């Protein structure tokens, strides 16, 4: 029963997200009333909340007819880790992703911005929501039923039952990850909104700051968790999934720095950083959920990889086209001292962006070096002591 209700909630959520995107597009093109679009946005959030609530109910009731509960639930699991089991595996974590994404969309829908800028930004956020609902409905549905029904399950990964940070660390990371969709949406909406798009930076900056703060707290809490489990030096291992959370943090920090400068150069610089931050979020999602990299943090192999990679490429193409068509605004070229605030902001942004590029190259190198016949790092699995996996070089010849 719960499985059928959960599957239905995902299908309704996909329909609501699609309707939301169309209604906000109608507002942007024809200056239609926003009330129907706002109601559709709230309905999309409600369906995500219902799906999460149903899966949590199935976990708490030990309903092993639901596949996700069969694979990640257990009668011997303490109540706290039963609740956190929702985001302990791939399919359930997507529901948490949808819930937070729907929350950001509902909050953005209630704010007041220039009409066309606001509407186009909501179209972008709704399109992203639609994609993840489709992903959860067709490729990672946690509500599929199993037969015969087992009497018990294995529970979540034992490594995820060793520290209370399991209840806070993933939601904080998700809040930071997903929050970067709003600056991304404003950056894409700015070229489409014409003159109304000139104020996109002022609109996007508070959202970027909230997302950056949540992402910073999530990364810091994860480092503390690793330190508590692994001891001295265990807080960071340059694991590919750890790097996936660091990359958008670096570009978001650069965006916040350049957004403070009044004469930091072309307006396209901020557009590129806002777009790059969310594209790196999508890339990190691909690395974590596709099985492309071996990591103690990554989920197992799944059919999501090609779809996520396709969405990453689509986001890159759309961002390139829209940011490229925006005419660059004139920079303030008045002579400024070298040791000025604006120069420091610009140099800081360039250093952060360069650091992100270096980390990105080092993270994706193992994915391309193997097929090209180079030396691919190999991930050595932890021993029974549960210590973290470490990269070691292993030449292919």
């Amino acid at each position: 029963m719960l499985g059928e209700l959960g599957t239905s909630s995902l299908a309704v959520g996909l329909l609501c997200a699609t309707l939301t995107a169309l209604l906000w597009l109608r507002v942007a093109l024809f200056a239609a009333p926003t009330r129907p679009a706002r109601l559709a946005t709230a309905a999309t959030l409600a369906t995500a909340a219902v799906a999460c609530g149903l899966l949590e109910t199935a976990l708490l009731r030990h309903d092993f007819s639901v596949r996700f509960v069969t694979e990640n639930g257990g009668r011997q699991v303490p109540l706290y880790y039963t609740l956190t089991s929702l985001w302990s595996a791939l399919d359930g974590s997507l529901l948490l992703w949808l819930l937070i994404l729907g929350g950001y969309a509902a909050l953005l829908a209630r704010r007041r911005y220039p009409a066309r800028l606001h509407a186009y930004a909501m179209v972008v956020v709704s399109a992203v929501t639609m994609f993840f609902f489709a992903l959860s409905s067709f490729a990672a549905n946690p509500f599929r039923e199993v037969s015969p029904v087992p009497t018990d399950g294995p529970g979540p990964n034992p490594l995820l039952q060793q520290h209370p940070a399991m209840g806070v660390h993933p939601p904080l990371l998700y809040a930071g990850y997903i929050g970067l969709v709003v600056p991304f949406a404003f950056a894409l909406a700015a070229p489409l909104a014409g003159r109304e798009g000139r104020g996109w930076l002022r609109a996007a900056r508070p959202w970027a700051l909230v997302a950056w703060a949540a992402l910073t707290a999530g990364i810091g809490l994860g480092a503390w968790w690793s330190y508590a489990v692994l001891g001295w030096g265990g807080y960071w291992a340059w694991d590919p999934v750890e790097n996936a959370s660091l990359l958008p943090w670096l570009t978001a920090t650069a965006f916040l720095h350049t957004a403070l400068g009044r004469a930091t150069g072309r307006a396209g610089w901020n557009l590129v950083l806002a777009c790059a931050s969310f594209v790196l979020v999508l890339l990190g999602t691909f690395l974590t959920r596709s099985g492309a990299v071996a990591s103690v943090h990554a989920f197992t192999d799944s059919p999501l990889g090609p779809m996520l990679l396709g969405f990453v490429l689509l986001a890159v193409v759309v961002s390139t086209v829209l940011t490229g068509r925006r005419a660059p605004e004139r920079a303030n070229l008045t002579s400024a001292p070298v040791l000025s605030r604006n120069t420091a902001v610009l140099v800081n942004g360039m250093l952060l962006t360069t650091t992100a590029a270096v980390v990105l190259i080092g993270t994706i190198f193992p994915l391309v070096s193997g097929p090209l016949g180079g030396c691919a790092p190999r991930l050595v699995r932890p021993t029974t002591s549960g210590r973290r996996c470490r990269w070691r070089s292993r030449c292919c010849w």
Side-chain angles (χ1 to χ4, degrees):
M1 183 63 178
L2 287 176
E4 295 176 355
L5 289 175
T7 300
S8 300
S9 67
L10 291 177
V12 173
L14 178 58
L15 290 175
C16 288
T18 305
L19 180 61
T20 300
L22 294 175
L23 287 174
W24 281 110
L25 183 61
R26 177 170 169 261
V27 173
L29 295 176
F30 306 109
T34 61
R35 180 174 174 79
R38 294 176 192 272
L39 291 176
T41 305
T44 304
L45 171 61
T47 56
V50 168
C52 286
L54 289 172
L55 191 56
E56 282 285 18
T57 302
L59 286 166
L60 292 171
R61 292 176 55 181
H62 305 299
D63 186 352
F64 295 106
S65 65
V66 177
R67 180 180 60 84
F68 186 84
V69 181
T70 300
E71 296 174 352
N72 303 281
R75 299 185 185 277
Q76 78 287 355
V77 180
L79 176 61
Y80 178 75
Y81 293 108
T82 298
L83 290 170
T84 62
S85 296
L86 176 68
W87 49 84
S88 66
L90 172 64
D91 301 351
S93 67
L94 278 179
L95 294 188
L96 178 63
W97 183 286
L98 283 171
L99 180 62
I100 298 175
L101 181 57
Y104 274 115
L107 289 174
L108 181 60
R110 294 179 61 88
R111 298 296 298 271
R112 300 292 181 183
Y113 298 106
R116 294 191 66 198
L117 176 68
H118 189 198
Y120 277 121
M122 286 303 305
V123 170
V124 175
V125 175
S126 301
V128 174
T129 307
M130 183 172 61
F131 169 77
F132 280 100
F133 260 113
L135 206 62
S136 187
S137 299
F138 300 120
N141 185 353
F143 295 103
R144 292 193 179 97
E145 298 183 351
V146 296
S147 182
V149 179
T151 59
D152 201 356
N157 189 319
L159 290 175
L160 304 180
Q161 302 181 54
Q162 295 183 2
H163 202 279
M166 178 60 187
V168 186
H169 167 59
L172 273 177
L173 278 180
Y174 281 21
Y177 255 17
I178 303 166
L180 293 174
V181 72
V182 180
F184 171 75
F186 276 122
L188 294 188
L192 299 172
R195 291 185 177 181
E196 292 187 13
R198 293 179 179 177
W200 79 272
L201 188 59
R202 181 178 300 177
R205 191 161 45 204
W207 296 92
L209 186 59
V210 170
W212 178 87
L215 188 57
T216 302
I219 293 174
L221 188 59
W224 171 62
W225 183 359
S226 296
Y227 178 81
V229 173
L230 302 177
W232 179 254
Y235 50 85
W236 196 266
W238 295 106
D239 182 276
V241 177
E242 290 177 349
N243 294 346
S245 66
L246 177 64
L247 287 168
W249 183 89
L250 289 169
T251 53
T253 306
F255 172 74
L256 288 173
H257 275 81
T258 57
L260 294 175
R262 297 180 181 178
T264 56
R266 298 178 183 272
W269 178 242
N270 290 318
L271 287 170
V272 169
L273 287 175
C275 293
S277 296
F278 189 66
V279 168
L280 289 173
V281 166
L282 295 176
L283 179 62
T285 305
F286 164 73
L287 294 175
T288 306
R289 288 170 167 78
S290 65
V293 296
S295 167
V296 70
H297 301 87
F299 298 107
T300 55
D301 293 345
S302 74
L304 273 63
M307 290 175 280
L308 284 169
L309 182 59
F311 194 63
V312 172
L313 296 177
L314 177 63
V316 171
V317 171
V318 172
S319 301
T320 303
V321 171
L322 290 181
T323 57
R325 62 174 284 187
R326 181 179 174 89
E329 299 176 5
R330 292 184 178 179
N332 184 2
L333 299 178
T334 58
S335 58
V338 175
L339 299 179
S340 65
R341 177 176 180 266
N342 288 331
T343 302
V345 166
L346 179 59
V347 171
N348 217 348
M350 293 177 64
L351 287 174
L352 288 166
T353 306
T354 303
T355 303
V358 172
V359 175
L360 176 62
I361 293 172
T363 301
I364 65 174
F365 177 76
L367 298 179
V368 298
S369 62
L372 294 178
C375 293
R378 176 185 62 182
L379 193 66
V380 179
R381 286 293 177 185
T383 61
T384 55
S385 62
R387 291 191 63 83
R388 184 193 298 261
C389 306
R390 298 283 182 174
W391 287 103
R392 292 182 184 174
S393 177
R394 177 179 180 270
C395 289
C396 300
W397 53 77

